[in-house]
Amino acid sequence: MKKKIRREFVLVALLSILLTAVSMTVVFYELFKKEVMNELESYTRVLQSAGVFDTAAAGAADGLSDWDVRISLIAADGTVLYDNDVEVGGLDNHRGRPEVSEAIEEGSGQSIRRSDTLDRSAFYYAVLQEDGTVLRVAKASSSIWRIFRSALPIVAFTGIVIFLLCMLLAARATRSLMAPIDSLAEHLDECDDASVYDEMVPFVRTIRRQHEDIMKNARMRQDFTANVSHELKTPLTSISGYAELIEHHMAAEQDIPRFAGEIHHSATRLLNMINDIIKLSELDAMTPEQAQMERLPLHLLAQNSVDMLQISAGKHQVMLGLAGEAAYINGNKEMVEELLYNLCDNAIRYNNPDGNVTVMVKPLGGKVMLEVADTGIGIPAEHQQRVFERFYRVDKSRSKATGGTGLGLAIVKHIVAQHGAQLELESEPGKGTTITILFENADKSVIL
């Protein structure tokens, strides 16, 4: 990055030097050309005022051969009547010369012609006289290319000096530009205190936010790994212990069915946990675009979940029922079924004997409300913000006794996020918990 910035600075400097040299040469040449033409015009006016060429008699112009300009008198038909520089006998017709033609047609004319042999330019100024002849004054001078080559050594020396200065300034500017970035790279955790210029403030804020997210995700992954290891260790230890007792014939015959039941219970818990971990991983990896959304009858899906969990509710001595009316949402069927199952299953597991679980589905304008309310043990206020974290349990002993994995509500939270829905929790210890989710109504255009 630093090399690229320096290279760009140097390139800009070189281009600036070159363009300045060319521009100044062109400007100088234009001024020089104007000055020469003004000088030739002055010569012509002086000669006209002196009456040297009032007639076509060439003898009247004796003594002009020593002038540093070439003076010619040309007839209207282009014949050269006089030239103070060469013999007129060897000259061709000048009627086609641009400055002569222009003078005959407009009263005066001028032109510049370059001589490749002499590498010089000839400047011509001509004026039409009253007797129809054309008085022309010419002067040879440097061409623009010759002027440019003459100035080249000075331009080159100046360019080298400016180039070296630009190299030094580029290095200094690069260090100044990169210093805040280098500081951030070395002290990313202290980016709040980093001294940066105003243009970098949005960049620093973005970096800070991304850094915080990365650190948060890293901590979550670390906690998740530790929790998974801990949660898997308990059922595996139980399975291993009971299996070892049976393998070494250390268990009484009447205890074998009980040990087998414990192994089965732990294996089931382990399998449920692995399934939930897989679901969470899939949800983490899935983008909203990958989730195949369709129009879903939420009330019907809720009825299916309620019917499926009636046996579990009976085992826990809980009444499970559904209320509300038909409503439709845009969602992923598998995810929504998982959400309904987890919410109802949690409400059953953490309920009291003879308790109730009520599932409510109804449209609310542009939204569809899904509400799962129970009369269970409730959640203390200090735990309500964390119950959707992975493996977080309010009552660890009860969670393990009921076979919960501690991942149900974490899965619910992910599914809600995937659907762009809103989730609210209300709970009071000893009275129960109500979880409300507001989905977008698939038929809201009709309702509105």
Side-chain angles (χ1 to χ4, degrees):
M1 184 65 178
K2 293 181 180 180
K3 290 181 179 179
K4 184 177 181 181
I5 293 175
R6 282 198 293 267
R7 190 164 57 246
E8 295 293 334
F9 269 117
V10 171
L11 181 61
V12 170
L14 290 175
L15 289 175
S16 300
I17 293 169
L18 180 61
L19 291 175
T20 301
V22 173
S23 301
M24 291 303 296
T25 302
V26 172
V27 171
F28 175 75
Y29 183 74
E30 289 296 324
L31 292 174
F32 172 75
K33 182 176 72 173
K34 184 177 181 181
E35 184 178 347
V36 171
M37 285 300 180
N38 289 337
E39 182 183 356
L40 294 178
E41 184 180 2
S42 298
Y43 272 115
T44 305
R45 300 304 179 193
V46 169
L47 290 172
Q48 278 190 309
S49 300
V52 176
F53 294 102
D54 283 344
T55 66
D62 291 342
L64 297 179
S65 59
D66 295 334
W67 284 33
D68 62 348
V69 294
R70 180 182 175 184
I71 304 172
S72 304
L73 183 64
I74 304 166
D77 61 357
T79 303
V80 180
L81 303 175
Y82 173 79
D83 194 297
N84 70 336
D85 196 33
V86 296
E87 292 293 333
V88 297
L91 296 175
D92 57 358
N93 191 286
H94 278 38
R95 184 67 175 80
R97 297 290 194 274
E99 68 279 359
V100 175
S101 299
E102 187 178 352
I104 292 173
E105 294 175 2
E106 301 181 11
S108 65
Q110 56 182 280
S111 68
I112 302 172
R113 291 193 289 279
R114 183 176 179 273
S115 171
D116 293 329
T117 304
L118 299 176
D119 192 20
R120 293 168 70 84
S121 293
F123 294 76
Y124 297 92
Y125 184 84
V127 63
L128 181 65
Q129 301 192 105
E130 293 181 358
D131 60 359
T133 60
V134 175
L135 179 61
R136 185 185 73 176
V137 180
K139 183 176 184 179
S141 186
S142 300
S143 68
I144 185 171
W145 303 113
R146 190 169 184 178
I147 293 173
F148 183 76
R149 285 198 296 271
S150 302
L152 191 59
I154 298 175
V155 172
F157 175 77
T158 305
I160 292 172
V161 173
I162 295 175
F163 177 78
L164 294 175
L165 287 174
C166 285
M167 286 287 289
L168 294 174
L169 292 174
R172 180 180 177 183
T174 302
R175 285 195 301 271
S176 176
L177 286 171
M178 297 301 295
I181 299 176
D182 292 338
S183 176
L184 283 174
E186 294 176 1
H187 306 92
L188 195 56
D189 292 332
E190 303 170 8
C191 57
D192 285 338
D193 302 324
S195 177
V196 297
Y197 29 86
D198 294 341
E199 293 77 4
M200 278 194 66
V201 171
F203 171 74
V204 173
R205 288 175 180 169
T206 302
I207 290 294
R208 182 190 305 127
R209 185 169 59 253
Q210 292 178 347
H211 179 63
E212 291 172 352
D213 291 342
I214 290 171
M215 295 301 294
K216 180 180 178 181
N217 290 333
R219 285 193 297 269
M220 288 176 62
R221 283 194 298 270
Q222 186 177 7
D223 293 342
F224 181 67
T225 302
N227 287 330
V228 167
S229 301
H230 176 74
E231 295 293 336
L232 293 178
K233 183 178 179 180
T234 302
L236 286 173
T237 301
S238 177
I239 292 171
S240 177
Y242 286 122
E244 185 178 6
L245 289 174
I246 295 173
E247 179 185 13
H248 293 89
H249 305 286
M250 298 174 65
E253 187 173 347
Q254 64 272 19
D255 291 330
I256 291 177
R258 182 171 61 86
F259 289 173
E262 291 294 338
I263 291 174
H264 181 264
H265 175 76
S266 297
T268 301
R269 181 182 168 201
L270 188 61
L271 183 61
N272 290 336
M273 192 180 306
I274 291 172
N275 287 335
D276 284 347
I277 291 171
I278 292 173
K279 289 172 187 174
L280 271 175
S281 298
E282 291 174 348
L283 289 170
D284 283 337
M286 185 181 296
T287 63
E289 293 77 16
Q290 292 173 323
Q292 297 180 355
M293 301 294 183
E294 58 182 309
R295 188 169 179 268
L296 300 176
L298 186 59
H299 191 272
L300 179 59
L301 294 180
Q303 182 66 64
N304 294 338
S305 292
V306 168
D307 294 342
M308 186 188 308
L309 288 166
Q310 286 297 344
I311 296 176
S312 176
K315 288 181 179 179
H316 290 82
Q317 301 177 25
V318 171
M319 293 294 295
L320 175 61
L322 174 67
E325 57 187 281
Y328 291 85
I329 65 170
N330 288 317
N332 179 282
K333 183 177 180 182
E334 184 179 346
M335 289 187 191
V336 174
E337 287 177 340
E338 183 72 25
L339 178 142
L340 287 164
Y341 181 89
N342 284 339
L343 287 177
C344 294
D345 186 54
N346 258 33
I348 293 170
R349 289 177 185 274
Y350 299 98
N351 215 313
N352 297 311
D354 299 323
N356 293 292
V357 175
T358 302
V359 180
M360 170 74 73
V361 174
K362 65 178 180 179
L364 293 175
K367 302 287 185 179
V368 172
M369 183 189 75
L370 168 64
E371 182 182 274
V372 179
D374 65 63
T375 58
I377 60 175
I379 303 170
E382 64 270 19
H383 296 285
Q384 291 180 12
Q385 295 298 321
R386 302 193 60 190
V387 291
F388 294 97
E389 296 179 10
R390 301 174 185 188
F391 293 113
Y392 189 83
R393 295 184 178 93
V394 178
D395 186 344
K396 294 181 173 56
S397 60
R398 175 155 184 169
S399 297
K400 294 181 180 180
T402 59
T405 63
L407 295 172
L409 290 182
I411 293 174
V412 168
K413 182 180 179 181
H414 273 67
I415 294 173
V416 168
Q418 287 282 1
H419 287 74
Q422 303 170 18
L423 185 149
E424 296 179 0
L425 181 146
E426 294 181 8
S427 186
E428 187 176 345
K431 291 188 177 180
T433 301
T434 300
I435 294 179
T436 304
I437 300 174
L438 294 176
F439 293 95
E440 289 293 329
N441 194 330
D443 299 330
K444 64 180 179 181
S445 59
V446 177
I447 295 172
L448 296 176

